[in-house]
Short mmCIF file of all heavy atoms in Angstrom, two decimals:
data_model
loop_
_atom_site.label_atom_id
_atom_site.label_comp_id
_atom_site.label_asym_id
_atom_site.label_seq_id
_atom_site.Cartn_x
_atom_site.Cartn_y
_atom_site.Cartn_z
N VAL L 1 91.65 119.07 130.96
CA VAL L 1 90.87 119.03 129.71
C VAL L 1 90.46 117.60 129.33
O VAL L 1 89.94 117.37 128.25
CB VAL L 1 91.65 119.68 128.55
CG1 VAL L 1 91.72 121.18 128.70
CG2 VAL L 1 93.04 119.08 128.41
N SER L 2 90.71 116.63 130.24
CA SER L 2 90.35 115.21 130.01
C SER L 2 91.02 114.63 128.77
O SER L 2 90.46 113.75 128.13
CB SER L 2 88.84 115.04 129.89
OG SER L 2 88.22 115.47 131.07
N ASP L 3 92.22 115.13 128.42
CA ASP L 3 92.92 114.57 127.27
C ASP L 3 93.76 113.36 127.71
O ASP L 3 94.19 113.29 128.86
CB ASP L 3 93.82 115.65 126.65
CG ASP L 3 94.10 115.40 125.18
OD1 ASP L 3 93.58 114.40 124.62
OD2 ASP L 3 94.84 116.21 124.57
N TYR L 4 93.98 112.42 126.79
CA TYR L 4 94.72 111.18 127.08
C TYR L 4 94.08 110.44 128.27
O TYR L 4 94.79 109.94 129.15
CB TYR L 4 96.19 111.49 127.39
CG TYR L 4 96.97 112.04 126.21
CD1 TYR L 4 97.02 113.41 125.97
CD2 TYR L 4 97.64 111.19 125.33
CE1 TYR L 4 97.73 113.93 124.87
CE2 TYR L 4 98.35 111.70 124.25
CZ TYR L 4 98.39 113.06 124.02
OH TYR L 4 99.08 113.56 122.95
N ASP L 5 92.76 110.38 128.28
CA ASP L 5 92.03 109.79 129.42
C ASP L 5 91.95 108.27 129.27
O ASP L 5 90.92 107.71 128.92
CB ASP L 5 90.62 110.41 129.49
CG ASP L 5 89.90 110.05 130.77
OD1 ASP L 5 90.54 109.47 131.68
OD2 ASP L 5 88.69 110.34 130.88
N ILE L 6 93.08 107.61 129.54
CA ILE L 6 93.16 106.16 129.37
C ILE L 6 94.10 105.58 130.41
O ILE L 6 95.09 106.22 130.78
CB ILE L 6 93.60 105.78 127.93
CG1 ILE L 6 93.54 104.26 127.69
CG2 ILE L 6 94.98 106.34 127.59
CD1 ILE L 6 93.71 103.86 126.23
N ALA L 7 93.77 104.39 130.90
CA ALA L 7 94.63 103.68 131.85
C ALA L 7 94.55 102.19 131.59
O ALA L 7 93.51 101.68 131.16
CB ALA L 7 94.20 103.99 133.29
N LEU L 8 95.66 101.50 131.85
CA LEU L 8 95.70 100.04 131.72
C LEU L 8 95.78 99.43 133.11
O LEU L 8 96.47 99.97 133.98
CB LEU L 8 96.92 99.62 130.91
CG LEU L 8 96.88 99.98 129.43
CD1 LEU L 8 98.27 99.89 128.82
CD2 LEU L 8 95.91 99.07 128.69
N LEU L 9 95.09 98.32 133.32
CA LEU L 9 95.11 97.64 134.61
C LEU L 9 95.57 96.21 134.41
O LEU L 9 94.98 95.48 133.62
CB LEU L 9 93.71 97.63 135.25
CG LEU L 9 93.25 98.97 135.81
CD1 LEU L 9 92.62 99.81 134.70
CD2 LEU L 9 92.22 98.77 136.91
N GLU L 10 96.64 95.86 135.13
CA GLU L 10 97.12 94.48 135.06
C GLU L 10 96.52 93.70 136.22
O GLU L 10 96.61 94.11 137.37
CB GLU L 10 98.65 94.43 135.12
CG GLU L 10 99.18 93.02 134.92
CD GLU L 10 100.70 92.93 134.94
OE1 GLU L 10 101.37 93.92 135.29
OE2 GLU L 10 101.20 91.85 134.60
N MET L 11 95.91 92.56 135.89
CA MET L 11 95.29 91.74 136.94
C MET L 11 96.34 90.86 137.61
O MET L 11 97.32 90.46 136.98
CB MET L 11 94.17 90.88 136.34
CG MET L 11 93.02 91.71 135.83
SD MET L 11 91.66 90.71 135.19
CE MET L 11 92.11 90.52 133.47
N GLU L 12 96.11 90.58 138.88
CA GLU L 12 97.05 89.78 139.68
C GLU L 12 97.24 88.39 139.06
O GLU L 12 98.33 87.85 139.04
CB GLU L 12 96.49 89.65 141.10
CG GLU L 12 97.50 89.24 142.13
CD GLU L 12 98.50 90.34 142.48
OE1 GLU L 12 98.11 91.36 143.06
OE2 GLU L 12 99.68 90.14 142.17
N MET L 13 96.13 87.81 138.57
CA MET L 13 96.18 86.49 137.95
C MET L 13 95.38 86.52 136.66
O MET L 13 94.42 87.28 136.57
CB MET L 13 95.56 85.44 138.90
CG MET L 13 96.48 85.07 140.03
SD MET L 13 95.71 84.10 141.35
CE MET L 13 94.21 83.50 140.71
N PRO L 14 95.76 85.69 135.68
CA PRO L 14 94.98 85.71 134.42
C PRO L 14 93.55 85.27 134.66
O PRO L 14 93.27 84.50 135.59
CB PRO L 14 95.70 84.69 133.53
CG PRO L 14 96.93 84.28 134.24
CD PRO L 14 96.84 84.72 135.66
N VAL L 15 92.64 85.74 133.83
CA VAL L 15 91.24 85.33 133.92
C VAL L 15 91.01 84.27 132.85
O VAL L 15 91.67 84.28 131.81
CB VAL L 15 90.30 86.55 133.74
CG1 VAL L 15 90.37 87.12 132.33
CG2 VAL L 15 88.87 86.22 134.10
N PHE L 16 90.13 83.33 133.13
CA PHE L 16 89.85 82.28 132.15
C PHE L 16 88.64 82.68 131.32
O PHE L 16 87.61 83.08 131.87
CB PHE L 16 89.60 80.95 132.86
CG PHE L 16 90.78 80.52 133.67
CD1 PHE L 16 90.80 80.65 135.05
CD2 PHE L 16 91.93 80.02 133.05
CE1 PHE L 16 91.91 80.30 135.80
CE2 PHE L 16 93.05 79.66 133.78
CZ PHE L 16 93.05 79.80 135.15
N PHE L 17 88.77 82.61 130.01
CA PHE L 17 87.66 83.01 129.15
C PHE L 17 86.57 81.94 129.16
O PHE L 17 86.84 80.76 129.30
CB PHE L 17 88.16 83.27 127.72
CG PHE L 17 89.12 84.42 127.64
CD1 PHE L 17 90.18 84.42 126.74
CD2 PHE L 17 88.98 85.53 128.47
CE1 PHE L 17 91.07 85.47 126.68
CE2 PHE L 17 89.86 86.59 128.40
CZ PHE L 17 90.90 86.55 127.51
N SER L 18 85.33 82.41 129.05
CA SER L 18 84.17 81.52 129.12
C SER L 18 83.06 82.16 128.30
O SER L 18 83.29 83.17 127.64
CB SER L 18 83.71 81.40 130.58
OG SER L 18 83.25 82.67 131.03
N GLU L 19 81.86 81.60 128.38
CA GLU L 19 80.72 82.22 127.69
C GLU L 19 80.50 83.65 128.16
O GLU L 19 80.07 84.50 127.40
CB GLU L 19 79.44 81.44 128.03
CG GLU L 19 79.10 80.34 127.07
CD GLU L 19 77.78 79.71 127.46
OE1 GLU L 19 76.78 80.43 127.60
OE2 GLU L 19 77.76 78.49 127.63
N LEU L 20 80.80 83.92 129.45
CA LEU L 20 80.49 85.22 130.02
C LEU L 20 81.69 86.18 130.05
O LEU L 20 81.52 87.36 130.34
CB LEU L 20 79.96 85.06 131.45
CG LEU L 20 78.65 84.27 131.59
CD1 LEU L 20 78.20 84.24 133.04
CD2 LEU L 20 77.56 84.86 130.71
N VAL L 21 82.90 85.68 129.81
CA VAL L 21 84.10 86.54 129.85
C VAL L 21 84.90 86.33 128.57
O VAL L 21 85.38 85.23 128.31
CB VAL L 21 84.99 86.22 131.07
CG1 VAL L 21 86.19 87.17 131.12
CG2 VAL L 21 84.20 86.30 132.37
N GLN L 22 85.00 87.39 127.76
CA GLN L 22 85.74 87.35 126.50
C GLN L 22 86.43 88.69 126.29
O GLN L 22 85.93 89.72 126.72
CB GLN L 22 84.79 87.10 125.31
CG GLN L 22 84.22 85.71 125.23
CD GLN L 22 85.25 84.67 124.81
OE1 GLN L 22 86.09 84.93 123.95
NE2 GLN L 22 85.21 83.51 125.44
N PRO L 23 87.56 88.71 125.56
CA PRO L 23 88.20 90.00 125.26
C PRO L 23 87.54 90.67 124.06
O PRO L 23 87.04 89.98 123.17
CB PRO L 23 89.64 89.60 124.93
CG PRO L 23 89.51 88.22 124.33
CD PRO L 23 88.33 87.57 125.02
N ILE L 24 87.56 91.99 124.03
CA ILE L 24 87.09 92.73 122.85
C ILE L 24 88.30 92.93 121.93
O ILE L 24 89.45 92.83 122.37
CB ILE L 24 86.47 94.09 123.26
CG1 ILE L 24 85.61 94.66 122.13
CG2 ILE L 24 87.54 95.07 123.72
CD1 ILE L 24 84.75 95.85 122.57
N CYS L 25 88.08 93.19 120.65
CA CYS L 25 89.20 93.47 119.73
C CYS L 25 89.63 94.93 119.86
O CYS L 25 88.78 95.81 120.02
CB CYS L 25 88.78 93.24 118.28
SG CYS L 25 88.27 91.55 117.92
N LEU L 26 90.93 95.15 119.77
CA LEU L 26 91.45 96.52 119.76
C LEU L 26 91.53 96.99 118.31
O LEU L 26 92.06 96.27 117.47
CB LEU L 26 92.86 96.57 120.37
CG LEU L 26 92.96 96.42 121.87
CD1 LEU L 26 94.42 96.38 122.28
CD2 LEU L 26 92.25 97.57 122.59
N PRO L 27 91.04 98.19 118.00
CA PRO L 27 91.13 98.67 116.62
C PRO L 27 92.54 99.21 116.35
O PRO L 27 93.09 99.94 117.17
CB PRO L 27 90.10 99.81 116.58
CG PRO L 27 90.01 100.29 118.00
CD PRO L 27 90.38 99.14 118.90
N SER L 28 93.12 98.83 115.23
CA SER L 28 94.45 99.34 114.89
C SER L 28 94.36 100.83 114.55
O SER L 28 93.27 101.36 114.30
CB SER L 28 95.04 98.57 113.71
OG SER L 28 94.28 98.85 112.56
N THR L 29 95.51 101.49 114.53
CA THR L 29 95.58 102.94 114.33
C THR L 29 94.84 103.38 113.06
O THR L 29 94.28 104.47 113.00
CB THR L 29 97.07 103.36 114.21
OG1 THR L 29 97.77 102.69 115.24
CG2 THR L 29 97.25 104.85 114.37
N SER L 30 94.84 102.49 112.04
CA SER L 30 94.28 102.89 110.74
C SER L 30 92.77 102.60 110.64
O SER L 30 92.15 102.91 109.64
CB SER L 30 94.99 102.14 109.62
OG SER L 30 94.73 100.75 109.74
N ARG L 31 92.21 102.00 111.68
CA ARG L 31 90.79 101.61 111.56
C ARG L 31 89.89 102.83 111.49
O ARG L 31 90.09 103.81 112.18
CB ARG L 31 90.38 100.72 112.73
CG ARG L 31 89.03 100.10 112.48
CD ARG L 31 88.71 98.95 113.39
NE ARG L 31 87.57 98.24 112.81
CZ ARG L 31 87.66 97.24 111.98
NH1 ARG L 31 88.84 96.77 111.65
NH2 ARG L 31 86.59 96.69 111.47
N ILE L 32 88.87 102.75 110.64
CA ILE L 32 87.96 103.88 110.45
C ILE L 32 86.57 103.48 110.94
O ILE L 32 86.04 102.44 110.54
CB ILE L 32 87.87 104.25 108.94
CG1 ILE L 32 89.26 104.63 108.40
CG2 ILE L 32 86.90 105.39 108.71
CD1 ILE L 32 89.40 104.43 106.90
#
């Protein structure tokens, strides 16, 4: 039923943030 369709991937080495690579914000449980 495609429920709980989520996976986390750990990278072998950290990535360096730049103009082209940035993290997105995670919404907290209460976010609407």
Side-chain angles (χ1 to χ4, degrees):
V1 288
S2 300
D3 205 1
Y4 294 89
D5 190 9
I6 186 169
L8 291 164
L9 286 85
E10 186 178 10
M11 294 183 270
E12 198 72 67
M13 284 168 15
V15 67
F16 300 103
F17 296 145
S18 65
E19 268 183 54
L20 298 183
V21 183
Q22 288 288 321
I24 197 169
C25 299
L26 286 176
S28 67
T29 315
S30 65
R31 192 165 194 92
I32 301 155

